[in-house]
Amino acid sequence: KYEVLITIKGTIGKVCVVVEDVKALFSRDVAKIKLSKCAPISPFFLQAYIMSKHAQILLKQLSSGGLQR
């Protein structure tokens, strides 16, 4: 609950916060960010930051950009 999921392949940088306890399987295309209970940051703030223009630019710059042919 309250974990942040972010896509790391394909369309990089799509993000959401899980608000319910759900059993789920993940593909390798999704990363999970689990904040500690004493973290000074809200998962919703982190989501908003990742969705911001500046963070999206950083994510695109840091992505590998590898293609399969």
Side-chain angles (χ1 to χ4, degrees):
K1 192 170 182 179
Y2 298 114
E3 294 174 337
V4 180
L5 303 177
I6 183 169
T7 57
I8 57 174
K9 281 190 178 177
T11 305
I12 296 170
K14 299 274 186 178
V15 64
C16 71
V17 176
V18 178
V19 293
E20 295 180 10
D21 284 329
V22 179
K23 289 187 177 184
L25 296 173
F26 291 95
S27 73
R28 290 184 280 177
D29 300 344
V30 177
K32 175 176 77 170
I33 302 170
K34 186 173 185 175
L35 300 170
S36 69
K37 293 186 184 206
C38 61
I41 185 170
S42 160
F44 299 103
F45 178 83
L46 181 59
Q47 176 190 25
Y49 173 73
I50 293 171
M51 291 172 62
S52 74
K53 179 177 85 171
H54 300 292
Q56 289 293 311
I57 290 169
L58 285 172
L59 287 170
K60 285 184 176 68
Q61 288 176 350
L62 294 173
S63 66
S64 64
L67 297 173
Q68 293 181 347
R69 292 183 183 229

Short mmCIF file of all heavy atoms in Angstrom, two decimals:
data_model
loop_
_atom_site.label_atom_id
_atom_site.label_comp_id
_atom_site.label_asym_id
_atom_site.label_seq_id
_atom_site.Cartn_x
_atom_site.Cartn_y
_atom_site.Cartn_z
N LYS A 1 0.84 -1.18 0.00
CA LYS A 1 0.00 0.00 0.00
C LYS A 1 0.88 1.24 0.00
O LYS A 1 1.88 1.29 0.69
CB LYS A 1 -0.90 -0.04 1.23
CG LYS A 1 -2.00 0.96 1.21
CD LYS A 1 -2.97 0.70 2.33
CE LYS A 1 -4.09 1.68 2.26
NZ LYS A 1 -5.08 1.49 3.28
N TYR A 2 0.53 2.22 -0.80
CA TYR A 2 1.24 3.49 -0.97
C TYR A 2 2.64 3.30 -1.54
O TYR A 2 3.57 3.99 -1.16
CB TYR A 2 1.26 4.30 0.33
CG TYR A 2 -0.14 4.67 0.77
CD1 TYR A 2 -0.67 4.15 1.93
CD2 TYR A 2 -0.92 5.50 -0.01
CE1 TYR A 2 -1.96 4.46 2.32
CE2 TYR A 2 -2.21 5.81 0.37
CZ TYR A 2 -2.72 5.29 1.53
OH TYR A 2 -4.00 5.60 1.90
N GLU A 3 2.77 2.36 -2.45
CA GLU A 3 4.02 2.20 -3.20
C GLU A 3 3.86 2.92 -4.53
O GLU A 3 2.77 3.04 -5.06
CB GLU A 3 4.33 0.72 -3.40
CG GLU A 3 4.62 0.01 -2.10
CD GLU A 3 4.79 -1.48 -2.28
OE1 GLU A 3 4.27 -2.03 -3.27
OE2 GLU A 3 5.43 -2.09 -1.42
N VAL A 4 4.96 3.39 -5.06
CA VAL A 4 4.95 4.13 -6.31
C VAL A 4 5.42 3.20 -7.42
O VAL A 4 6.47 2.56 -7.29
CB VAL A 4 5.86 5.38 -6.22
CG1 VAL A 4 5.84 6.15 -7.52
CG2 VAL A 4 5.43 6.27 -5.06
N LEU A 5 4.65 3.10 -8.50
CA LEU A 5 5.02 2.28 -9.65
C LEU A 5 5.37 3.22 -10.80
O LEU A 5 4.69 4.21 -11.03
CB LEU A 5 3.86 1.37 -10.07
CG LEU A 5 3.33 0.43 -8.99
CD1 LEU A 5 2.14 -0.36 -9.55
CD2 LEU A 5 4.41 -0.51 -8.51
N ILE A 6 6.44 2.87 -11.53
CA ILE A 6 6.89 3.71 -12.65
C ILE A 6 7.32 2.80 -13.79
O ILE A 6 7.98 1.78 -13.57
CB ILE A 6 8.03 4.67 -12.22
CG1 ILE A 6 8.44 5.57 -13.38
CG2 ILE A 6 9.20 3.92 -11.66
CD1 ILE A 6 9.35 6.71 -12.98
N THR A 7 6.93 3.17 -15.01
CA THR A 7 7.33 2.38 -16.17
C THR A 7 8.78 2.70 -16.50
O THR A 7 9.22 3.85 -16.44
CB THR A 7 6.45 2.69 -17.39
OG1 THR A 7 6.49 4.08 -17.67
CG2 THR A 7 5.01 2.25 -17.16
N ILE A 8 9.54 1.63 -16.85
CA ILE A 8 10.96 1.82 -17.16
C ILE A 8 11.31 1.33 -18.55
O ILE A 8 12.46 1.40 -18.96
CB ILE A 8 11.85 1.13 -16.10
CG1 ILE A 8 11.53 -0.35 -16.00
CG2 ILE A 8 11.72 1.82 -14.76
CD1 ILE A 8 12.47 -1.13 -15.10
N LYS A 9 10.34 0.84 -19.29
CA LYS A 9 10.53 0.44 -20.68
C LYS A 9 9.35 0.94 -21.48
O LYS A 9 8.28 1.18 -20.93
CB LYS A 9 10.61 -1.08 -20.81
CG LYS A 9 11.94 -1.66 -20.45
CD LYS A 9 11.97 -3.12 -20.85
CE LYS A 9 13.32 -3.73 -20.55
NZ LYS A 9 13.34 -5.15 -20.88
N GLY A 10 9.53 1.06 -22.78
CA GLY A 10 8.45 1.57 -23.61
C GLY A 10 8.29 3.05 -23.36
O GLY A 10 9.21 3.83 -23.52
N THR A 11 7.10 3.44 -22.91
CA THR A 11 6.86 4.83 -22.53
C THR A 11 7.40 5.02 -21.13
O THR A 11 6.76 4.65 -20.15
CB THR A 11 5.36 5.16 -22.59
OG1 THR A 11 4.88 4.84 -23.89
CG2 THR A 11 5.12 6.63 -22.31
N ILE A 12 8.57 5.59 -21.01
CA ILE A 12 9.25 5.73 -19.73
C ILE A 12 8.65 6.89 -18.94
O ILE A 12 8.39 7.95 -19.49
CB ILE A 12 10.76 5.95 -19.94
CG1 ILE A 12 11.35 4.73 -20.60
CG2 ILE A 12 11.47 6.27 -18.64
CD1 ILE A 12 12.76 4.91 -21.08
N GLY A 13 8.43 6.66 -17.64
CA GLY A 13 8.02 7.74 -16.76
C GLY A 13 6.55 7.81 -16.42
O GLY A 13 6.13 8.71 -15.71
N LYS A 14 5.74 6.87 -16.90
CA LYS A 14 4.34 6.83 -16.45
C LYS A 14 4.37 6.36 -15.00
O LYS A 14 5.07 5.43 -14.66
CB LYS A 14 3.51 5.86 -17.29
CG LYS A 14 3.43 6.20 -18.74
CD LYS A 14 2.31 7.17 -18.97
CE LYS A 14 2.17 7.38 -20.47
NZ LYS A 14 1.10 8.26 -20.78
N VAL A 15 3.61 7.00 -14.13
CA VAL A 15 3.73 6.74 -12.70
C VAL A 15 2.36 6.70 -12.03
O VAL A 15 1.44 7.38 -12.47
CB VAL A 15 4.65 7.81 -12.04
CG1 VAL A 15 4.05 9.18 -12.13
CG2 VAL A 15 4.98 7.46 -10.62
N CYS A 16 2.24 5.88 -10.99
CA CYS A 16 1.01 5.84 -10.20
C CYS A 16 1.34 5.42 -8.77
O CYS A 16 2.41 4.87 -8.50
CB CYS A 16 -0.02 4.90 -10.81
SG CYS A 16 0.40 3.16 -10.64
N VAL A 17 0.41 5.69 -7.87
CA VAL A 17 0.54 5.28 -6.47
C VAL A 17 -0.51 4.21 -6.21
O VAL A 17 -1.69 4.39 -6.52
CB VAL A 17 0.33 6.47 -5.51
CG1 VAL A 17 0.37 6.02 -4.06
CG2 VAL A 17 1.36 7.55 -5.76
N VAL A 18 -0.09 3.09 -5.63
CA VAL A 18 -1.01 2.02 -5.27
C VAL A 18 -1.65 2.41 -3.94
O VAL A 18 -0.95 2.63 -2.96
CB VAL A 18 -0.27 0.67 -5.13
CG1 VAL A 18 -1.22 -0.42 -4.70
CG2 VAL A 18 0.43 0.31 -6.42
N VAL A 19 -2.98 2.51 -3.90
CA VAL A 19 -3.65 2.97 -2.69
C VAL A 19 -4.37 1.85 -1.94
O VAL A 19 -4.92 2.08 -0.87
CB VAL A 19 -4.64 4.12 -2.99
CG1 VAL A 19 -3.89 5.35 -3.43
CG2 VAL A 19 -5.66 3.70 -4.01
N GLU A 20 -4.38 0.64 -2.50
CA GLU A 20 -5.00 -0.50 -1.83
C GLU A 20 -4.03 -1.65 -1.82
O GLU A 20 -3.18 -1.77 -2.71
CB GLU A 20 -6.26 -0.94 -2.59
CG GLU A 20 -7.38 0.07 -2.61
CD GLU A 20 -8.59 -0.46 -3.37
OE1 GLU A 20 -8.62 -1.66 -3.71
OE2 GLU A 20 -9.49 0.34 -3.64
N ASP A 21 -4.16 -2.52 -0.81
CA ASP A 21 -3.36 -3.75 -0.80
C ASP A 21 -3.93 -4.69 -1.85
O ASP A 21 -5.08 -5.10 -1.76
CB ASP A 21 -3.42 -4.43 0.58
CG ASP A 21 -2.56 -3.71 1.60
OD1 ASP A 21 -1.54 -3.13 1.19
OD2 ASP A 21 -2.90 -3.75 2.78
N VAL A 22 -3.13 -4.97 -2.87
CA VAL A 22 -3.56 -5.81 -3.97
C VAL A 22 -2.45 -6.81 -4.28
O VAL A 22 -1.28 -6.44 -4.32
CB VAL A 22 -3.84 -4.96 -5.24
CG1 VAL A 22 -4.26 -5.82 -6.40
CG2 VAL A 22 -4.87 -3.90 -4.96
N LYS A 23 -2.82 -8.07 -4.48
CA LYS A 23 -1.83 -9.04 -4.94
C LYS A 23 -1.75 -8.89 -6.45
O LYS A 23 -2.76 -8.89 -7.14
CB LYS A 23 -2.25 -10.46 -4.57
CG LYS A 23 -2.15 -10.74 -3.10
CD LYS A 23 -2.41 -12.19 -2.82
CE LYS A 23 -2.24 -12.45 -1.34
NZ LYS A 23 -2.38 -13.86 -1.03
N ALA A 24 -0.53 -8.73 -6.95
CA ALA A 24 -0.36 -8.50 -8.38
C ALA A 24 0.98 -9.05 -8.84
O ALA A 24 1.91 -9.19 -8.05
CB ALA A 24 -0.44 -7.01 -8.68
N LEU A 25 1.06 -9.33 -10.11
CA LEU A 25 2.32 -9.73 -10.75
C LEU A 25 2.82 -8.54 -11.55
O LEU A 25 2.04 -7.82 -12.16
CB LEU A 25 2.09 -10.91 -11.69
CG LEU A 25 1.62 -12.20 -11.03
CD1 LEU A 25 1.28 -13.23 -12.10
CD2 LEU A 25 2.68 -12.73 -10.11
N PHE A 26 4.12 -8.35 -11.55
CA PHE A 26 4.71 -7.23 -12.28
C PHE A 26 5.56 -7.75 -13.42
O PHE A 26 6.20 -8.79 -13.31
CB PHE A 26 5.62 -6.40 -11.35
CG PHE A 26 4.86 -5.65 -10.30
CD1 PHE A 26 4.70 -6.18 -9.05
CD2 PHE A 26 4.33 -4.42 -10.58
CE1 PHE A 26 4.01 -5.51 -8.07
CE2 PHE A 26 3.63 -3.72 -9.62
CZ PHE A 26 3.47 -4.27 -8.37
N SER A 27 5.60 -6.99 -14.49
CA SER A 27 6.52 -7.31 -15.57
C SER A 27 7.84 -6.59 -15.29
O SER A 27 7.94 -5.78 -14.38
CB SER A 27 5.94 -6.86 -16.91
OG SER A 27 5.98 -5.46 -17.01
N ARG A 28 8.83 -6.88 -16.10
CA ARG A 28 10.12 -6.20 -15.93
C ARG A 28 10.07 -4.78 -16.45
O ARG A 28 11.04 -4.05 -16.36
CB ARG A 28 11.21 -6.98 -16.66
CG ARG A 28 11.52 -8.30 -15.99
CD ARG A 28 12.64 -8.97 -16.66
NE ARG A 28 12.13 -9.64 -17.87
CZ ARG A 28 12.87 -10.29 -18.73
NH1 ARG A 28 14.17 -10.35 -18.56
NH2 ARG A 28 12.33 -10.88 -19.77
N ASP A 29 8.94 -4.38 -16.98
CA ASP A 29 8.79 -3.03 -17.52
C ASP A 29 8.35 -2.01 -16.47
O ASP A 29 8.19 -0.84 -16.77
CB ASP A 29 7.78 -3.02 -18.66
CG ASP A 29 8.19 -3.95 -19.80
OD1 ASP A 29 9.37 -4.34 -19.85
OD2 ASP A 29 7.34 -4.29 -20.63
N VAL A 30 8.12 -2.48 -15.24
CA VAL A 30 7.63 -1.61 -14.17
C VAL A 30 8.56 -1.70 -12.97
O VAL A 30 8.97 -2.78 -12.57
CB VAL A 30 6.20 -2.03 -13.75
CG1 VAL A 30 5.70 -1.19 -12.59
CG2 VAL A 30 5.23 -1.93 -14.92
N ALA A 31 8.90 -0.55 -12.42
CA ALA A 31 9.72 -0.51 -11.21
C ALA A 31 8.84 -0.09 -10.04
O ALA A 31 7.90 0.69 -10.20
CB ALA A 31 10.87 0.48 -11.36
N LYS A 32 9.14 -0.63 -8.86
CA LYS A 32 8.39 -0.30 -7.66
C LYS A 32 9.29 0.50 -6.72
O LYS A 32 10.41 0.09 -6.44
CB LYS A 32 7.93 -1.59 -6.97
CG LYS A 32 7.25 -1.37 -5.65
CD LYS A 32 6.73 -2.66 -5.07
CE LYS A 32 7.85 -3.46 -4.46
NZ LYS A 32 7.39 -4.60 -3.67
N ILE A 33 8.80 1.63 -6.27
CA ILE A 33 9.52 2.45 -5.30
C ILE A 33 8.76 2.34 -3.98
O ILE A 33 7.61 2.78 -3.89
CB ILE A 33 9.60 3.93 -5.74
CG1 ILE A 33 10.27 4.03 -7.11
CG2 ILE A 33 10.33 4.75 -4.70
CD1 ILE A 33 10.19 5.41 -7.73
N LYS A 34 9.39 1.72 -3.00
CA LYS A 34 8.76 1.56 -1.70
C LYS A 34 9.42 2.51 -0.72
O LYS A 34 10.60 2.37 -0.41
CB LYS A 34 8.89 0.11 -1.23
CG LYS A 34 8.15 -0.18 0.04
CD LYS A 34 8.16 -1.65 0.37
CE LYS A 34 7.32 -1.93 1.58
NZ LYS A 34 7.22 -3.35 1.87
N LEU A 35 8.65 3.48 -0.24
CA LEU A 35 9.17 4.46 0.71
C LEU A 35 9.06 3.89 2.12
O LEU A 35 8.10 3.20 2.44
CB LEU A 35 8.38 5.76 0.61
CG LEU A 35 8.40 6.44 -0.76
CD1 LEU A 35 7.40 7.58 -0.80
CD2 LEU A 35 9.79 6.95 -1.06
N SER A 36 10.03 4.19 2.95
CA SER A 36 9.96 3.72 4.34
C SER A 36 8.88 4.51 5.08
O SER A 36 8.51 5.61 4.67
CB SER A 36 11.30 3.87 5.04
OG SER A 36 11.60 5.22 5.23
N LYS A 37 8.39 3.94 6.16
CA LYS A 37 7.31 4.59 6.92
C LYS A 37 7.76 5.92 7.51
O LYS A 37 6.96 6.81 7.74
CB LYS A 37 6.81 3.67 8.01
CG LYS A 37 6.11 2.46 7.45
CD LYS A 37 5.47 1.63 8.51
CE LYS A 37 4.89 0.40 7.83
NZ LYS A 37 3.80 -0.18 8.54
N CYS A 38 9.06 6.07 7.76
CA CYS A 38 9.54 7.33 8.33
C CYS A 38 10.12 8.25 7.24
O CYS A 38 10.83 9.21 7.55
CB CYS A 38 10.57 7.06 9.42
SG CYS A 38 12.02 6.17 8.83
N ALA A 39 9.82 7.95 5.97
CA ALA A 39 10.33 8.79 4.88
C ALA A 39 9.72 10.19 4.97
O ALA A 39 8.53 10.33 5.24
CB ALA A 39 9.98 8.16 3.53
N PRO A 40 10.53 11.20 4.76
CA PRO A 40 10.02 12.58 4.86
C PRO A 40 9.25 13.03 3.62
O PRO A 40 8.98 14.20 3.46
CB PRO A 40 11.30 13.39 5.04
CG PRO A 40 12.32 12.62 4.29
CD PRO A 40 11.95 11.16 4.49
N ILE A 41 8.91 12.10 2.74
CA ILE A 41 8.25 12.46 1.48
C ILE A 41 7.00 11.61 1.28
O ILE A 41 6.99 10.43 1.56
CB ILE A 41 9.25 12.30 0.29
CG1 ILE A 41 8.63 12.79 -1.01
CG2 ILE A 41 9.71 10.88 0.17
CD1 ILE A 41 9.63 12.89 -2.13
N SER A 42 5.97 12.23 0.80
CA SER A 42 4.71 11.55 0.53
C SER A 42 4.81 10.84 -0.82
O SER A 42 5.41 11.38 -1.77
CB SER A 42 3.59 12.58 0.47
OG SER A 42 2.47 12.08 -0.21
N PRO A 43 4.23 9.65 -0.96
CA PRO A 43 4.25 8.99 -2.27
C PRO A 43 3.51 9.81 -3.33
O PRO A 43 3.87 9.78 -4.50
CB PRO A 43 3.56 7.66 -2.03
CG PRO A 43 2.88 7.76 -0.73
CD PRO A 43 3.56 8.83 0.05
N PHE A 44 2.52 10.58 -2.91
CA PHE A 44 1.79 11.42 -3.86
C PHE A 44 2.63 12.62 -4.32
O PHE A 44 2.54 13.05 -5.46
CB PHE A 44 0.47 11.88 -3.24
CG PHE A 44 -0.43 10.74 -2.90
CD1 PHE A 44 -0.55 10.32 -1.59
CD2 PHE A 44 -1.10 10.04 -3.89
CE1 PHE A 44 -1.35 9.24 -1.27
CE2 PHE A 44 -1.91 8.97 -3.58
CZ PHE A 44 -2.03 8.56 -2.27
N PHE A 45 3.47 13.14 -3.43
CA PHE A 45 4.40 14.20 -3.82
C PHE A 45 5.42 13.64 -4.82
O PHE A 45 5.74 14.29 -5.82
CB PHE A 45 5.12 14.77 -2.60
CG PHE A 45 6.12 15.83 -2.96
CD1 PHE A 45 5.72 17.13 -3.18
CD2 PHE A 45 7.46 15.50 -3.11
CE1 PHE A 45 6.65 18.11 -3.53
CE2 PHE A 45 8.39 16.47 -3.45
CZ PHE A 45 7.98 17.78 -3.66
N LEU A 46 5.93 12.43 -4.54
CA LEU A 46 6.89 11.80 -5.44
C LEU A 46 6.26 11.57 -6.81
O LEU A 46 6.87 11.82 -7.84
CB LEU A 46 7.40 10.48 -4.85
CG LEU A 46 8.42 9.72 -5.68
CD1 LEU A 46 9.66 10.56 -5.93
CD2 LEU A 46 8.79 8.42 -4.98
N GLN A 47 5.01 11.12 -6.82
CA GLN A 47 4.29 10.93 -8.08
C GLN A 47 4.19 12.25 -8.84
O GLN A 47 4.46 12.31 -10.05
CB GLN A 47 2.90 10.36 -7.83
CG GLN A 47 2.07 10.23 -9.09
CD GLN A 47 0.61 9.89 -8.82
OE1 GLN A 47 0.09 10.19 -7.75
NE2 GLN A 47 -0.03 9.28 -9.78
N ALA A 48 3.81 13.31 -8.15
CA ALA A 48 3.67 14.62 -8.80
C ALA A 48 5.01 15.10 -9.35
O ALA A 48 5.08 15.64 -10.45
CB ALA A 48 3.10 15.63 -7.82
N TYR A 49 6.10 14.86 -8.60
CA TYR A 49 7.42 15.27 -9.07
C TYR A 49 7.81 14.49 -10.33
O TYR A 49 8.30 15.08 -11.30
CB TYR A 49 8.48 15.09 -8.00
CG TYR A 49 9.86 15.37 -8.55
CD1 TYR A 49 10.25 16.68 -8.82
CD2 TYR A 49 10.74 14.35 -8.86
CE1 TYR A 49 11.49 16.95 -9.37
CE2 TYR A 49 11.98 14.61 -9.41
CZ TYR A 49 12.35 15.91 -9.66
OH TYR A 49 13.57 16.17 -10.22
N ILE A 50 7.61 13.18 -10.30
CA ILE A 50 7.99 12.36 -11.47
C ILE A 50 7.18 12.76 -12.69
O ILE A 50 7.67 12.70 -13.81
CB ILE A 50 7.83 10.86 -11.14
CG1 ILE A 50 8.85 10.44 -10.08
CG2 ILE A 50 8.00 10.00 -12.40
CD1 ILE A 50 8.65 9.04 -9.55
N MET A 51 5.95 13.21 -12.49
CA MET A 51 5.12 13.63 -13.61
C MET A 51 5.47 15.03 -14.11
O MET A 51 5.01 15.44 -15.17
CB MET A 51 3.64 13.58 -13.21
CG MET A 51 3.12 12.18 -12.99
SD MET A 51 1.46 12.12 -12.30
CE MET A 51 0.51 12.94 -13.56
N SER A 52 6.28 15.77 -13.35
CA SER A 52 6.62 17.14 -13.73
C SER A 52 7.48 17.17 -14.99
O SER A 52 8.15 16.20 -15.34
CB SER A 52 7.35 17.86 -12.60
OG SER A 52 8.68 17.39 -12.49
N LYS A 53 7.47 18.31 -15.65
CA LYS A 53 8.23 18.48 -16.89
C LYS A 53 9.72 18.24 -16.66
O LYS A 53 10.38 17.57 -17.45
CB LYS A 53 7.99 19.88 -17.45
CG LYS A 53 8.75 20.18 -18.72
CD LYS A 53 8.39 21.55 -19.25
CE LYS A 53 9.25 22.59 -18.59
NZ LYS A 53 9.11 23.92 -19.21
N HIS A 54 10.27 18.76 -15.56
CA HIS A 54 11.70 18.65 -15.30
C HIS A 54 12.12 17.20 -15.05
O HIS A 54 13.15 16.75 -15.57
CB HIS A 54 12.09 19.53 -14.11
CG HIS A 54 11.77 20.97 -14.33
ND1 HIS A 54 12.43 21.73 -15.27
CD2 HIS A 54 10.85 21.77 -13.78
CE1 HIS A 54 11.93 22.95 -15.27
NE2 HIS A 54 10.97 23.00 -14.37
N ALA A 55 11.34 16.46 -14.28
CA ALA A 55 11.67 15.06 -14.02
C ALA A 55 11.53 14.23 -15.29
O ALA A 55 12.34 13.32 -15.54
CB ALA A 55 10.79 14.50 -12.92
N GLN A 56 10.54 14.52 -16.12
CA GLN A 56 10.36 13.77 -17.36
C GLN A 56 11.56 13.99 -18.30
O GLN A 56 12.01 13.06 -18.97
CB GLN A 56 9.05 14.17 -18.05
CG GLN A 56 7.81 13.68 -17.33
CD GLN A 56 7.68 12.17 -17.36
OE1 GLN A 56 7.81 11.54 -18.40
NE2 GLN A 56 7.42 11.59 -16.21
N ILE A 57 12.08 15.21 -18.34
CA ILE A 57 13.27 15.48 -19.14
C ILE A 57 14.45 14.67 -18.63
O ILE A 57 15.20 14.06 -19.40
CB ILE A 57 13.59 16.99 -19.16
CG1 ILE A 57 12.53 17.75 -19.96
CG2 ILE A 57 14.98 17.26 -19.72
CD1 ILE A 57 12.59 19.25 -19.83
N LEU A 58 14.64 14.62 -17.30
CA LEU A 58 15.73 13.84 -16.71
C LEU A 58 15.58 12.35 -17.02
O LEU A 58 16.56 11.68 -17.36
CB LEU A 58 15.78 14.04 -15.20
CG LEU A 58 16.34 15.36 -14.71
CD1 LEU A 58 16.15 15.48 -13.21
CD2 LEU A 58 17.80 15.48 -15.07
N LEU A 59 14.36 11.84 -16.92
CA LEU A 59 14.14 10.41 -17.21
C LEU A 59 14.47 10.08 -18.66
O LEU A 59 15.07 9.05 -18.95
CB LEU A 59 12.69 10.03 -16.89
CG LEU A 59 12.34 9.94 -15.42
CD1 LEU A 59 10.83 9.79 -15.24
CD2 LEU A 59 13.07 8.78 -14.76
N LYS A 60 14.09 10.96 -19.57
CA LYS A 60 14.38 10.71 -20.98
C LYS A 60 15.89 10.77 -21.25
O LYS A 60 16.41 10.02 -22.05
CB LYS A 60 13.63 11.70 -21.85
CG LYS A 60 12.16 11.37 -21.95
CD LYS A 60 11.43 12.28 -22.89
CE LYS A 60 9.98 11.90 -23.05
NZ LYS A 60 9.15 12.08 -21.92
N GLN A 61 16.60 11.67 -20.57
CA GLN A 61 18.04 11.77 -20.74
C GLN A 61 18.75 10.55 -20.17
O GLN A 61 19.77 10.12 -20.71
CB GLN A 61 18.58 13.02 -20.06
CG GLN A 61 18.22 14.30 -20.77
CD GLN A 61 18.68 15.53 -20.01
OE1 GLN A 61 19.11 15.46 -18.86
NE2 GLN A 61 18.57 16.69 -20.66
N LEU A 62 18.25 9.99 -19.09
CA LEU A 62 18.89 8.86 -18.44
C LEU A 62 18.52 7.51 -19.03
O LEU A 62 19.16 6.51 -18.74
CB LEU A 62 18.54 8.86 -16.94
CG LEU A 62 19.10 10.03 -16.15
CD1 LEU A 62 18.55 10.01 -14.73
CD2 LEU A 62 20.62 10.03 -16.13
N SER A 63 17.47 7.47 -19.85
CA SER A 63 17.06 6.19 -20.43
C SER A 63 18.10 5.71 -21.44
O SER A 63 18.77 6.50 -22.11
CB SER A 63 15.69 6.32 -21.09
OG SER A 63 15.76 7.17 -22.21
N SER A 64 18.24 4.41 -21.55
CA SER A 64 19.27 3.84 -22.43
C SER A 64 18.91 3.99 -23.90
O SER A 64 19.79 4.11 -24.74
CB SER A 64 19.47 2.37 -22.09
OG SER A 64 18.29 1.64 -22.36
N GLY A 65 17.64 3.93 -24.22
CA GLY A 65 17.23 4.10 -25.60
C GLY A 65 17.57 2.92 -26.49
O GLY A 65 17.61 3.05 -27.72
N GLY A 66 17.84 1.76 -25.93
CA GLY A 66 18.18 0.58 -26.74
C GLY A 66 16.97 0.06 -27.49
O GLY A 66 15.86 0.07 -27.00
N LEU A 67 17.21 -0.37 -28.72
CA LEU A 67 16.15 -0.93 -29.55
C LEU A 67 16.50 -2.34 -29.97
O LEU A 67 17.67 -2.65 -30.23
CB LEU A 67 15.93 -0.08 -30.80
CG LEU A 67 15.46 1.36 -30.60
CD1 LEU A 67 15.47 2.08 -31.94
CD2 LEU A 67 14.09 1.39 -30.00
N GLN A 68 15.49 -3.18 -30.07
CA GLN A 68 15.69 -4.52 -30.62
C GLN A 68 15.32 -4.50 -32.09
O GLN A 68 14.35 -3.88 -32.48
CB GLN A 68 14.83 -5.54 -29.88
CG GLN A 68 15.24 -5.76 -28.45
CD GLN A 68 14.36 -6.79 -27.78
OE1 GLN A 68 13.33 -7.16 -28.31
NE2 GLN A 68 14.80 -7.25 -26.63
N ARG A 69 16.11 -5.17 -32.90
CA ARG A 69 15.80 -5.24 -34.35
C ARG A 69 15.60 -6.66 -34.76
O ARG A 69 16.13 -7.56 -34.27
CB ARG A 69 16.92 -4.62 -35.14
CG ARG A 69 16.99 -3.15 -34.91
CD ARG A 69 18.07 -2.55 -35.78
NE ARG A 69 18.15 -1.14 -35.48
CZ ARG A 69 18.16 -0.21 -36.40
NH1 ARG A 69 18.13 -0.51 -37.64
NH2 ARG A 69 18.23 1.04 -36.06
#
